[in-house]
Amino acid sequence: MLLLLVLCCLKIGATTKSQTQLLRIGGLFHDTDDEQAFHIAAKMVNRKYPTGPFRLVPESFLVSKHNAFTSYSRTCSFLHKGTVAIFGPSSIHSSSYIQTLLDRKEIPHVETHWDRKLLRHNCLLNLHPHPSILTQAFLDVVHTWNWKNVVLIYDSEESLARMSPFVSSFRRWVTLRRIDLDHFGTYRSSLTSIKMTGATNFIIECSIEVLEEVLKQAQQVGMMTERHNYMITNLDLQTIDLAAFQFSGTNITGFRVVNPEDEFVVGVAEKIYGKSYNGMPPGWRLRLKTALIVDAVDLFYETVLDLTVSEQVVIKGYPLKCNGTTNWRSGHTIVNYMKGKSILGLTGIVHFDVEGFRRDFVLDVLELTTGGLVKAGSWFPNAGITVTRTPPPVIQTEDNSLTNKTFTVITCLTTPYGMLKETTSRLEGNDRFEGFGIDLIDELSKMLGFNYTIIIQEDGYNGNYNFTTNEWNGLIGAIVTGKAELAIADLTVTAERESAVDFTLQFMNLGISILYKKPKPVPPSLFMFVSPFSYTVWILLLVTYFVVSLCFFVMGRLCPSEWTNPYPCIDEPEYLINQFSIRNSLWFTIGSLMQQGTEIAPIGISTRTAAGVWWFFTLIMVSSYTANLAAFLTVETFVTPFSNVKELSEQTEIKYGAKRGGATANFFKNSGNDSVRTKIWSFMATHDNQMTESNDEGVERTKNEHYAFFMESTTIEYVVERQCSLASVGQPLDDKGYAIAMKKNSSYRNDLSAAILKLQETGRISRLKEKWWKEKRGASNCGAQGEESAATPLNLQNVGGVFLVLFLGTVLGFIISVVELGIRVYSKTKGVGCFKTEFKKEMRFFVQFKRNVKDVLRRGSQEGQ
Ligand code: GLU
């Protein structure tokens, strides 16, 4: 009886097995989590339908993101085994590479990654939420949070591409800032410069691998305070550790598609990561792309099941060759059915619109609180955002507003930023001062409605930290101690100062340059006439003269027409003479080179051709010489003892320095590994007498001594406009700016920055600069005389062409002279003698260069000899 039962069970088992169809599915992944998720997903669906007509047989490969070729060859091996669907890879490049093949072979291709250029491919289905809808979600949040300006921080071109629809929609209000690794391998430099803009609303779009580090470094540079608001667009925000920012008071908003607390999600995540993981709960580790793989496999199985059971379609894989012509027949049907099917997966309802894109999904809007990341609301594609918890808005209390407040503004008497008015009448209060900085603060006060009282920093220092007393001096010291609320001058923004005070947006950009005396003109030389040609051209000209003269001599001997009757009154002369002797040839060529001419006139076609070309050559050379000589006589050539900072550091004759304790001196002091800057600083540090108390002192020393002064480019601009004997040498060494300083965490910084931005945009700041640099206080236009173009000798490149023409013309002359001789000999020997013998005789005579008298060649003269 028992045996019968066992046999019966075996039979049922065998029957079921024989009816179960095996469907191979292939996966290409870049990391093991995704690969693991793929296998677990297949196992889950197989378990869900133990008696179903199919069993999925998953097979996968780990492939490199950057090697599309491997993905292609792996796909071929899948197809060869009869695989009926391919999942992945998530690299856009590799995925599109295999797409063409899969379209051709009609094999369903399921993607789960973000793809900006998502197109309807024949056999492609992408489960990732559609980028255009995500953009809508980001815009809705920005509008709900009432952000007027945002800085978009991104880490790669791909990140920027993801956000480009957002940027185009929010164009007027978004500033783009890319963060790159500095030479310490951190993002701190990029983040510090973003911080200096004074912006407080940020959107971060970077890969999840670096996001945590970016946030940590933002915190380190002071960009994670109550004043700062962040929106993080990466849908995996929940998968990183945000504990460090929970108590910072920063408003951090994020999004997610996967609910990490959902039981189903937790169950799957436990299968992928295991329960034993003792850090983050498994559900919180599950990344969107991994969850999408699970949903993709599920969707595929459900579709195939539907097709087989309800539509009675037979689904069966068979081997395909990549380079063969056969394709699978069921691919299109499956993909189309998948697009029409909906399932409830880890990422919510998986559903596609008529175009086959996933536009219908719900996003959880997250907020970071002291208790961690919590759901603050939801976003629906058609209904927009419904916020259940609103992050604390930045409250504009009465106290934060600048209106009707009175500030003490401190400045230094540094030309032209802050100066005493030049007047004979007695002035009081703010009226005593004028300058660029004074005008700027006045403009700001009018815009924002505050009052101000100007006080002066008597020692003229802008701010230097004393490591012994741990105190700041100058303007920064005045702000730190509360002597003044705002400081405006030629106050450079530096990282060191930024740690003690807050700066507004920079109102002026500049770099360090060298102020030195204007280059002196070279005294005129006695041999100035040689200058128009380079030495090479002179030597070549001389050689050409001799060679061409020799050619005339040779050509003259060859050319029969040049042998003429010495006594024109005798009809039949005994002998002939040739005008192109060596002496005459030299004289003929020099005569034309000097534009004088000679009584010698070429007769033969060959000599005339050569003479024509020679005259052309002399015409061009003489004209070039004359034109360039004129340039040399009129343009002064200047000499500078150094033309950049390196050359200055290498010489010892000219001393140099900078303003003591200023940002320029500190730039050299903190020069790190730069050898030139270190050398400059070691000179400055050991020659304290070369450092100055003020810019004015530096300018005076530059004028009167053998001295170069390192100064900021904008101030140099001002000086050279007025001191015509001075000029800026070389390129700026760095790139920085001036800004208004105030106490750390001042509530009015944003308003001041926004007002500065407005003044910049309306051109008001440029106008003020124009006024103080070009119009007021003895501005002249010596800057305009600045650069004069120097005359340079003509070299072979300039005149090489004419030498070539001369060469070709002379060669042509030679050929013609030989032809002329041949014709003459032929005409004299025709019918009465032998051409060859006579020609040889002529040639023999030709090489006897000493003989300059020639017998007359008569018709049939051979016979007579
Ligand atoms: N602008 C500089 C500062 O803020 C002063 C001038 C200089 O160092 O060249 O310290």
Side-chain angles (χ1 to χ4, degrees):
M1 179 66 194
L2 191 69
L3 193 68
L4 209 69
L5 202 70
V6 172
L7 278 176
C8 204
C9 287
L10 277 178
K11 187 164 170 39
I12 293 168
T15 323
T16 323
K17 265 230 158 79
S18 67
Q19 283 168 358
T20 306
Q21 173 85 38
L22 296 184
L23 282 186
R24 285 180 176 277
I25 53 170
L28 297 168
F29 305 106
H30 304 310
D31 62 57
T32 45
D33 282 356
D34 290 358
E35 192 176 33
Q36 177 89 332
F38 177 65
H39 287 272
I40 286 169
K43 211 183 262 175
M44 273 165 38
V45 287
N46 286 340
R47 278 217 196 115
K48 194 158 107 189
Y49 300 102
T51 54
F54 300 111
R55 279 190 68 76
L56 292 184
V57 182
E59 198 183 340
S60 62
F61 287 111
L62 277 179
V63 287
S64 153
K65 265 188 190 172
H66 312 288
N67 193 344
F69 182 72
T70 321
S71 299
Y72 189 89
S73 56
R74 295 296 188 208
T75 308
C76 283
S77 76
F78 281 143
L79 299 190
H80 198 65
K81 290 178 190 163
T83 303
V84 295
I86 305 287
F87 295 75
S90 63
S91 129
I92 297 177
H93 178 55
S94 305
S95 182
S96 52
Y97 193 57
I98 63 167
Q99 184 57 50
T100 337
L101 169 69
L102 296 177
D103 277 346
R104 194 154 42 87
K105 294 286 154 194
E106 223 191 285
I107 297 289
H109 181 203
V110 189
E111 282 182 340
T112 55
H113 59 263
W114 173 91
D115 190 353
R116 184 167 61 104
K117 289 190 253 131
L118 204 54
L119 297 171
R120 268 184 73 111
H121 274 284
N122 296 344
C123 273
L124 178 70
L125 185 70
N126 193 321
L127 266 76
H128 195 280
H130 197 275
S132 66
I133 304 298
L134 283 175
T135 301
Q136 194 48 53
F138 301 151
L139 282 169
D140 282 353
V141 170
V142 166
H143 289 133
T144 309
W145 279 192
N146 208 11
W147 288 0
K148 290 284 175 271
N149 296 298
V150 300
V151 176
L152 171 63
I153 301 175
Y154 63 97
D155 70 332
S156 63
E157 289 313 314
E158 196 184 316
S159 309
L160 183 60
R162 282 171 199 257
M163 291 305 286
S164 64
F166 175 88
V167 175
S168 357
S169 314
F170 207 59
R171 196 175 41 226
R172 280 184 54 213
W173 312 108
V174 68
T175 313
L176 304 180
R177 287 300 194 111
R178 181 181 169 134
I179 46 166
D180 289 305
L181 290 173
D182 54 24
H183 49 271
F184 299 112
T186 74
Y187 296 104
R188 278 192 278 264
S189 309
S190 305
L191 290 167
T192 307
S193 66
I194 295 172
K195 187 195 167 192
M196 280 177 190
T197 62
T200 50
N201 298 332
F202 303 104
I203 295 179
I204 299 191
E205 164 56 63
C206 27
S207 73
I208 197 68
E209 283 75 25
V210 298
L211 183 58
E212 196 175 330
E213 208 44 52
V214 170
L215 291 174
K216 269 191 195 146
Q217 288 170 20
Q219 189 173 44
Q220 286 159 4
V221 301
M223 281 171 68
M224 278 279 180
T225 67
E226 295 88 349
R227 292 186 298 113
H228 294 107
N229 306 304
Y230 287 83
M231 183 174 93
I232 295 172
T233 54
N234 197 304
L235 300 177
D236 287 325
L237 174 67
Q238 59 187 345
T239 64
I240 61 167
D241 186 7
L242 296 168
F245 319 110
Q246 277 173 216
F247 301 97
S248 63
T250 316
N251 300 317
I252 298 180
T253 304
F255 303 90
R256 72 178 179 207
V257 178
V258 182
N259 177 3
E261 274 145 9
D262 182 284
E263 260 179 47
F264 178 42
V265 172
V266 174
V268 175
E270 273 177 4
K271 285 191 183 109
I272 299 171
Y273 307 109
K275 271 190 208 159
S276 57
Y277 183 77
N278 51 7
M280 207 176 255
W284 290 82
R285 286 190 68 195
L286 189 63
R287 289 194 180 166
L288 177 63
K289 65 180 172 62
T290 316
L292 287 173
I293 289 167
V294 177
D295 287 354
V297 174
D298 195 9
L299 177 70
F300 177 77
Y301 190 93
E302 294 284 349
T303 308
V304 178
L305 194 65
D306 260 15
L307 272 171
T308 323
V309 176
S310 11
E311 307 286 327
Q312 304 290 308
V313 179
V314 180
I315 307 279
K316 192 174 183 301
Y318 45 84
L320 295 169
K321 278 189 186 154
C322 269
N323 46 9
T325 48
T326 43
N327 57 312
W328 199 42
R329 301 259 157 65
S330 320
H332 281 146
T333 319
I334 295 180
V335 172
N336 288 337
Y337 256 79
M338 281 174 92
K339 286 178 183 168
K341 186 142 184 74
S342 300
I343 58 158
L344 184 63
L346 295 175
T347 57
I349 294 185
V350 181
H351 170 75
F352 300 88
D353 63 8
V354 280
E355 282 187 86
F357 297 133
R358 194 170 172 190
R359 289 207 176 96
D360 208 0
F361 54 90
V362 180
L363 283 181
D364 285 348
V365 180
L366 307 172
E367 181 204 335
L368 185 66
T369 64
T370 47
L373 210 51
V374 294
K375 184 173 163 184
S378 301
W379 181 87
F380 303 91
N382 298 320
I385 191 165
T386 52
V387 186
T388 45
R389 292 167 59 108
T390 325
V394 187
I395 305 155
Q396 278 284 10
T397 59
E398 208 32 51
D399 201 32
N400 283 346
S401 151
L402 285 97
T403 319
N404 292 335
K405 278 210 170 150
T406 302
F407 292 116
T408 307
V409 179
I410 192 162
T411 187
C412 287
L413 291 178
T414 313
T415 331
Y417 308 94
M419 300 173 284
L420 284 173
K421 269 189 190 156
E422 291 169 334
T423 170
T424 47
S425 44
R426 193 184 156 79
L427 300 174
E428 304 236 315
N430 293 349
D431 252 7
R432 289 171 296 157
F433 310 106
E434 64 174 9
F436 176 85
I438 311 294
D439 277 1
L440 180 59
I441 202 79
D442 195 54
E443 292 277 346
L444 293 172
S445 79
K446 282 182 194 143
M447 276 177 84
L448 300 170
F450 65 85
N451 305 312
Y452 62 95
T453 311
I454 297 175
I455 60 167
I456 296 298
Q457 177 66 34
E458 296 298 343
D459 60 12
Y461 285 126
N462 284 356
N464 198 21
Y465 188 67
N466 187 328
F467 286 93
T468 329
T469 59
N470 286 341
E471 276 175 6
W472 283 92
N473 68 1
L475 300 178
I476 302 290
I479 296 290
V480 171
T481 55
K483 186 176 160 194
E485 274 106 20
L486 299 174
I488 186 163
D490 59 333
L491 186 59
T492 312
V493 178
T494 65
E496 200 182 20
R497 288 173 179 170
E498 183 96 48
S499 64
V501 294
D502 269 354
F503 283 102
T504 57
L505 212 65
Q506 298 176 3
F507 57 78
M508 205 176 256
N509 294 319
L510 51 112
I512 296 171
S513 253
I514 312 167
L515 181 74
Y516 190 63
K517 290 187 196 67
K518 257 205 181 134
K520 288 208 177 72
V522 185
S525 131
L526 269 181
F527 296 95
M528 179 73 104
F529 64 86
V530 183
S531 314
F533 287 150
S534 67
Y535 288 117
T536 327
V537 172
W538 278 122
I539 292 168
L540 208 63
L541 191 60
L542 197 68
V543 172
T544 309
Y545 163 65
F546 283 112
V547 172
V548 170
S549 304
L550 207 67
C551 288
F552 272 109
F553 169 66
V554 173
M555 244 182 281
R557 285 184 71 79
L558 273 177
C559 175
S561 313
E562 294 297 343
W563 291 98
T564 51
N565 180 355
Y567 310 108
C569 44
I570 301 173
D571 280 346
E572 295 210 341
E574 289 301 305
Y575 61 90
L576 301 173
I577 57 162
N578 196 319
Q579 60 177 343
F580 281 111
S581 62
I582 282 281
R583 275 192 307 168
N584 278 356
S585 299
L586 285 169
W587 183 239
F588 173 72
T589 41
I590 197 76
S592 42
L593 189 60
M594 295 299 142
Q595 308 276 285
Q596 297 308 315
T598 52
E599 70 284 5
I600 301 160
I603 301 164
I605 300 175
S606 54
T607 42
R608 283 184 178 176
T609 306
V613 177
W614 173 247
W615 289 338
F616 172 75
F617 172 81
T618 55
L619 173 76
I620 302 296
M621 289 305 282
V622 171
S623 323
S624 310
Y625 176 85
T626 316
N628 211 26
L629 183 64
F632 268 91
L633 294 176
T634 49
V635 176
E636 286 182 314
T637 313
F638 294 92
V639 271
T640 35
F642 61 91
S643 55
N644 54 39
V645 67
K646 188 164 182 282
E647 286 173 21
L648 178 65
S649 72
E650 279 162 0
Q651 57 79 53
T652 50
E653 206 187 315
I654 301 161
K655 306 284 178 256
Y656 47 86
K659 183 178 169 182
R660 194 173 284 119
T664 304
N666 281 336
F667 167 79
F668 289 107
K669 192 173 169 185
N670 308 324
S671 47
N673 296 333
D674 189 300
S675 59
V676 175
R677 275 154 55 183
T678 314
K679 201 167 173 187
I680 296 271
W681 176 245
S682 66
F683 177 84
M684 288 181 180
T686 50
H687 295 77
D688 191 54
N689 58 340
Q690 302 300 340
M691 303 302 273
T692 68
E693 284 304 307
S694 66
N695 284 342
D696 290 345
E697 187 190 332
V699 173
E700 277 310 304
R701 289 183 72 164
T702 312
K703 259 185 1 187
N704 303 324
E705 298 170 23
H706 253 3
Y707 185 78
F709 189 54
F710 284 102
M711 209 180 188
E712 285 162 335
S713 55
T714 40
T715 319
I716 292 188
E717 239 177 87
Y718 179 86
V719 171
V720 299
E721 195 69 38
R722 284 153 185 82
Q723 313 280 351
C724 299
S725 61
L726 300 181
S728 166
V729 182
Q731 296 297 315
L733 306 182
D734 62 351
D735 187 7
K736 52 197 177 186
Y738 296 148
I740 301 174
M742 69 204 73
K743 236 190 163 69
K744 223 139 182 72
N745 299 330
S746 293
S747 52
Y748 35 83
R749 175 162 83 159
N750 273 355
D751 289 344
L752 284 168
S753 290
I756 287 175
L757 199 65
K758 186 131 211 149
L759 289 176
Q760 263 163 356
E761 278 169 4
T762 54
R764 189 71 196 124
I765 292 193
S766 316
R767 178 69 202 101
L768 283 183
K769 188 165 175 229
E770 184 88 6
K771 172 182 162 188
W772 287 105
W773 264 251
K774 306 260 179 206
E775 293 165 15
K776 293 267 190 179
R777 300 240 180 173
S780 72
N781 62 350
C782 26
Q785 297 167 7
E787 302 288 295
E788 284 190 35
S789 58
T792 48
L794 298 175
N795 55 31
L796 200 55
Q797 268 111 321
N798 304 117
V799 290
V802 70
F803 277 92
L804 184 68
V805 171
L806 176 68
F807 172 74
L808 295 176
T810 314
V811 171
L812 183 69
F814 264 110
I815 296 168
I816 298 173
S817 63
V818 174
V819 173
E820 275 182 300
L821 180 65
I823 293 172
R824 175 63 63 92
V825 174
Y826 176 74
S827 68
K828 294 292 172 191
T829 55
K830 193 178 168 197
V832 289
C834 171
F835 171 82
K836 213 166 147 192
T837 322
E838 190 56 33
F839 195 81
K840 267 190 194 160
K841 197 175 143 203
E842 283 291 327
M843 289 319 279
R844 261 200 306 275
F845 171 78
F846 164 69
V847 293
Q848 292 165 16
F849 290 111
K850 278 197 180 145
R851 288 183 60 190
N852 49 9
V853 173
K854 186 180 178 184
D855 296 338
V856 179
L857 177 65
R858 296 182 206 285
R859 226 178 116 70
S861 61
Q862 277 173 319
E863 285 101 331
Q865 278 175 10

